[in-house]
Amino acid sequence: MKLLLRCLRHLWLDADDARHALGEAGIGRLEARVRASEQEHTGQICLCVEASLPPSYLWRHVARGESIEDVMRDRAVTLFGKQRVWDTEYNNGVLVYLLLAEHRIEIVADRALARCTDEAHWHTLVERVAQACRAGHIEEGLSTAVDVVGAALAEHFPCAHEDGVTSRADPGLPDRPTIR
């Protein structure tokens, strides 16, 4: 029964549900928060809110018996590549991926930042954000994620300041959350 309910949730929810969960004002506030954070470091933060898994990913869970956690992680890594989050000069991009149907989050950090932080740091953040999302505070949870990821990036990859001029890399990734 649990599997059936999970499948129905994934088949029922779509991008409109994700947009509705955040609201246009919430999406705008998150975009502004990402933009402000990126003034403090050379990294890139990308938010992706997906209502449900595509059928091919859901099928892997249902028919092949892969854990939903493994399927979600694979989906997040795929979106990390598709959204070109890896395309930063210092290999310090981060994707914060929220799957609404599961009220779960994945964080994929590029290799340079991954070397500077341990798994426990990301696990703690994932738990905090997931708790907020389960309580219906999706924007608050994602704001927390942006703040914590931004602090890690600012600590390890601060903007270079020479003669009062701020230097930061910008591969042109969008600050606006991707809604799928």
Side-chain angles (χ1 to χ4, degrees), residues 14-15 17-19 21-22 26-27 30-31 34 38 44-54 57 72-85 93-108 126 129 133 138-139 141-143 145-146 149 173-180:
D14 63 14
D17 295 303
R19 244 184 305 287
L22 284 171
I27 292 169
L30 287 168
E31 179 181 10
V34 168
E38 289 178 351
Q44 288 285 294
I45 301 172
C46 292
L47 299 177
C48 180
V49 179
E50 190 164 50
S52 59
L53 288 170
Y57 283 84
M72 266 189 63
R73 180 69 181 175
D74 188 47
R75 178 66 177 162
V77 169
T78 297
L79 290 172
F80 180 85
K82 280 186 175 185
Q83 293 187 318
R84 300 179 56 104
V85 181
V94 178
L95 174 71
V96 177
Y97 171 75
L98 172 65
L99 181 60
L100 283 180
E102 298 293 327
H103 293 288
R104 292 180 190 235
I105 184 171
E106 281 290 333
I107 297 176
V108 182
V126 164
V129 175
C133 291
I138 296 168
E139 182 184 346
L142 290 173
S143 293
V146 170
V149 169
L173 298 176
D175 295 331
R176 188 165 183 81
T178 300
I179 307 295
R180 302 176 66 93

Side-chain angles (χ1 to χ4, degrees), residues 159-168:
C159 290
H161 297 278
E162 292 182 22
D163 300 328
V165 177
T166 301
S167 167
R168 65 180 220 85

Side-chain angles (χ1 to χ4, degrees), residues 5-148:
L5 290 175
R6 172 173 279 153
C7 289
L8 289 174
R9 251 192 341 261
H10 282 271
L11 295 172
W12 182 261
L13 296 173
D14 63 14
D16 287 338
D17 295 303
R19 244 184 305 287
H20 179 71
L22 284 171
E24 197 56 43
I27 292 169
R29 286 188 295 270
L30 287 168
E31 179 181 10
R33 191 174 216 112
V34 168
R35 189 176 301 116
S37 173
E38 289 178 351
Q39 297 304 311
E40 304 298 320
H41 51 76
T42 61
Q44 288 285 294
I45 301 172
C46 292
L47 299 177
C48 180
V49 179
E50 190 164 50
S52 59
L53 288 170
S56 61
Y57 283 84
L58 188 57
W59 182 251
R60 288 173 43 192
H61 172 64
V62 173
R64 295 186 193 166
E66 291 183 45
S67 73
I68 197 70
E69 293 82 9
D70 289 346
V71 172
M72 266 189 63
R73 180 69 181 175
D74 188 47
R75 178 66 177 162
V77 169
T78 297
L79 290 172
F80 180 85
K82 280 186 175 185
Q83 293 187 318
R84 300 179 56 104
V85 181
W86 50 265
D87 196 15
T88 58
E89 184 175 350
Y90 303 110
N91 298 314
N92 57 358
V94 178
L95 174 71
V96 177
Y97 171 75
L98 172 65
L99 181 60
L100 283 180
E102 298 293 327
H103 293 288
R104 292 180 190 235
I105 184 171
E106 281 290 333
I107 297 176
V108 182
D110 207 346
R111 57 193 168 271
L113 182 60
R115 281 192 294 266
C116 300
T117 54
D118 62 359
E119 283 297 315
H121 174 80
W122 300 121
H123 182 72
T124 301
L125 175 58
V126 164
E127 287 303 313
R128 283 178 58 194
V129 175
Q131 257 183 335
C133 291
R134 281 191 292 273
H137 306 292
I138 296 168
E139 182 184 346
E140 180 184 313
L142 290 173
S143 293
T144 298
V146 170
D147 293 345
V148 172

